[in-house]
Amino acid sequence: DTAVSQTPKYLVTQMGNDKSIKCEQNLGHDTMYWYKQDSKKFLKIMFSYNNKELIINETVPNRFSPKSPDKAHLNLHINSLELGDSAVYFCASSHGGRTGSTGELFFGEGSRLTVL
Amino acid sequence: AQSVTQLGSHVSVSEGALVLLRCNYSSSVPPYLFWYVQYPNQGLQLLLKYTTGATLVKGINGFEAEFKKSETSFHLTKPSAHMSDAAEYFCAVRRSGGSYIPTFGRGTSLIVHP
C-alpha cells in the first residue's frame, strides 16, 4: 500500500494547456509539500500545507495553485503551461511542527511533466 | 537561517571502494540532519538521520554518517561501494525547534564503476 501516491506519473502536454497533479498520503501526516526538481536534480520547495492551511508559498508563478481538500490530499493545478514548467514534481508529507517529531519527509514517486 | 552545501556534484568510485559524500551545514540552532537517496526515476527516500544523542548514525544499505558540530559537517560514508548504490544523494537540514521545513543541498550523483 503506497504511502504517498501521485497521479499521473507522466504528463505530456502542449504550451498553454492547464493540467493537474494529485497527491494522497495514508501516513496520517499533517503536513504536505510540493517540490519541483529540475533537470540538474535541484529540489525547490514550492508549497507546504499544514492541516489544510497554506504555510509556505515560495516564489512561484501564480499560474500554480495548490489545493488541499483535507489533510491527506494536496493537489497542484497549473494554468497556461510554459516550456520552463517541464520538470519532475514531487509530493511529500511529514509530521510537521509537532513536539518530538523529527519531520523527515516521505516522498511520492514523482510526476514528470513535459511541455511541448 | 539554515543552509546546506554538498561538495561535489558528482562522485565516482570503483565497486568495492570507500564512498564519501560531503555535507556541510549552517544553522543558528541545533540542527536535525538527514541524508536522502534518489534512485533513477524514483522519489527520495530517507537513508539516515541525526537528531540528538549518538553522533554516528547508521542507515540503510550499510551507509552511516557522523555529525561533527565543530566542523558543521554530516558526511555520508560506506566502506564498500556496490553497483546498486549508484544514485543521487541529498543532504538536508532543519531546525530542531521552530520551522520544520527542511533545506536541501543540491545533491551529489554517485557513480559506481565495475
Side-chain angles (χ1 to χ4, degrees):
Chain A
D1 200 18
T2 306
V4 181
S5 57
Q6 308 178 216
T7 53
K9 196 171 170 67
Y10 298 97
L11 277 151
V12 181
T13 189
Q14 300 286 331
M15 271 198 310
N17 283 352
D18 303 339
K19 287 293 177 187
S20 292
I21 307 171
K22 295 187 175 183
C23 179
E24 175 181 5
Q25 55 95 3
N26 63 6
L27 298 167
H29 290 158
D30 57 2
T31 304
M32 295 185 73
Y33 311 78
W34 278 111
Y35 281 86
K36 179 180 180 181
Q37 186 175 50
D38 63 22
S39 58
K40 294 185 178 179
K41 303 288 186 180
F42 178 57
L43 270 173
K44 178 185 172 181
I45 189 164
M46 301 174 69
F47 303 103
S48 178
Y49 271 75
N50 177 254
N51 286 318
K52 301 193 298 175
E53 289 194 22
L54 182 65
I55 53 168
I56 282 192
N57 182 358
E58 292 293 308
T59 309
V60 174
N62 56 16
R63 298 182 295 104
F64 290 79
S65 51
K67 281 203 171 62
S68 182
D70 55 57
K71 285 197 303 184
H73 295 84
L74 180 62
N75 303 323
L76 183 65
H77 187 75
I78 316 170
N79 290 326
S80 304
L81 279 156
E82 300 177 357
L83 292 177
D85 298 332
S86 294
V88 181
Y89 292 85
F90 285 101
C91 176
S93 71
S94 73
H95 290 299
R98 287 168 46 175
T99 302
S101 165
T102 55
E104 61 259 38
L105 270 60
F106 292 76
F107 284 82
E109 294 213 334
S111 298
R112 182 176 294 276
L113 172 65
T114 303
V115 182
L116 303 175
Chain B
Q2 57 199 30
S3 66
V4 177
T5 302
Q6 290 185 239
L7 293 175
S9 58
H10 294 83
V11 169
S12 183
V13 299
S14 298
E15 194 172 19
L18 171 72
V19 175
L20 171 61
L21 304 182
R22 298 176 188 272
C23 173
N24 287 89
Y25 70 90
S26 68
S27 176
S28 54
V29 297
Y32 290 166
L33 294 157
F34 308 85
W35 276 100
Y36 290 85
V37 60
Q38 182 182 23
Y39 297 106
N41 299 313
Q42 293 187 28
L44 282 72
Q45 62 183 88
L46 184 69
L47 205 51
L48 50 79
K49 65 182 178 184
Y50 168 79
T51 54
T52 59
T55 56
L56 181 64
V57 293
K58 295 185 186 299
I60 60 172
N61 302 335
F63 283 93
E64 60 183 39
E66 187 170 10
F67 169 57
K68 291 188 176 181
K69 185 178 176 182
S70 60
E71 298 177 10
T72 60
S73 69
F74 190 57
H75 301 332
L76 182 70
T77 60
K78 181 173 179 178
S80 176
H82 192 273
M83 296 294 289
S84 61
D85 294 327
E88 194 80 17
Y89 291 80
F90 293 91
C91 183
V93 62
R94 60 153 284 203
R95 293 159 56 101
S96 54
S99 171
Y100 44 83
I101 307 299
T103 298
F104 282 86
R106 296 191 69 94
T108 298
S109 178
L110 177 64
I111 302 158
V112 182
H113 297 287

